[in-house]
Amino acid sequence: MGRVFATVQEYEDFTGKPAPENADRLLARASRLVSRDTRAAIYETDPAGYPTDSDVRAAFRDATCAQTAEWARREAASTDGSDASAGPWTSVSAGAISLSRPSAPVPVAEDTVLTPEAADILDELGLRQVVWQT
């Protein structure tokens, strides 16, 4: 398994809310996005590949928590129906209004891109800066 930059307890401390039941899975997914977006960053690591600088490690942790919090918010909103925009529409009609959503979860762009808050946390330390391009 890859590196996971935040624990369930750290998530709860960051958000001030209880973690969702699938928090471990969401934290692992968010950690993969953080890892991908910091691929070109230069920082000291321990033998397991985690940042050794406390500020860098905190940025990785907080970005992971911010990303997970957004996913948890969307999942909760789509489950309880409180947010009509929580899930993607598969069909929308104007005449006599007809809306539909898929019966199974469908990946959307937000699932593969860091949220603005998570990106800002990493950008504050220049961790997503691209130094070269091919």
Side-chain angles (χ1 to χ4, degrees):
M1 184 161 115
R3 293 169 293 160
V4 179
F5 299 116
T7 65
V8 171
Q9 182 61 55
E10 289 169 331
Y11 169 85
E12 290 177 343
D13 292 344
F14 180 85
T15 63
K17 298 177 182 177
E21 287 183 29
N22 61 347
D24 287 324
R25 183 180 62 81
L26 293 176
L27 289 166
R29 282 181 57 211
S31 293
R32 286 192 298 275
L33 284 183
V34 168
S35 187
R36 183 198 66 202
D37 275 28
T38 58
R39 182 176 315 143
I42 299 171
Y43 54 91
E44 299 279 328
T45 64
D46 64 16
Y50 289 95
T52 56
D53 181 273
S54 61
D55 290 338
V56 173
R57 193 163 190 147
F60 275 55
R61 178 198 64 221
D62 291 350
T64 299
C65 290
Q67 184 71 36
T68 300
E70 176 58 22
W71 286 337
R73 183 201 64 77
R74 275 195 283 131
E75 282 186 11
S78 66
T79 300
D80 70 13
S82 65
D83 184 358
S85 65
W89 295 104
T90 57
S91 175
V92 177
S93 301
I97 301 183
S98 171
L99 309 169
S100 65
R101 293 181 190 245
S103 58
V106 174
V108 294
E110 291 101 14
D111 289 339
T112 59
V113 177
L114 284 178
T115 64
E117 182 182 7
D120 287 346
I121 291 167
L122 297 171
D123 287 343
E124 191 173 314
L125 294 178
L127 294 168
R128 291 184 341 125
Q129 212 168 30
V130 176
V131 180
W132 71 90
Q133 286 187 305
T134 57

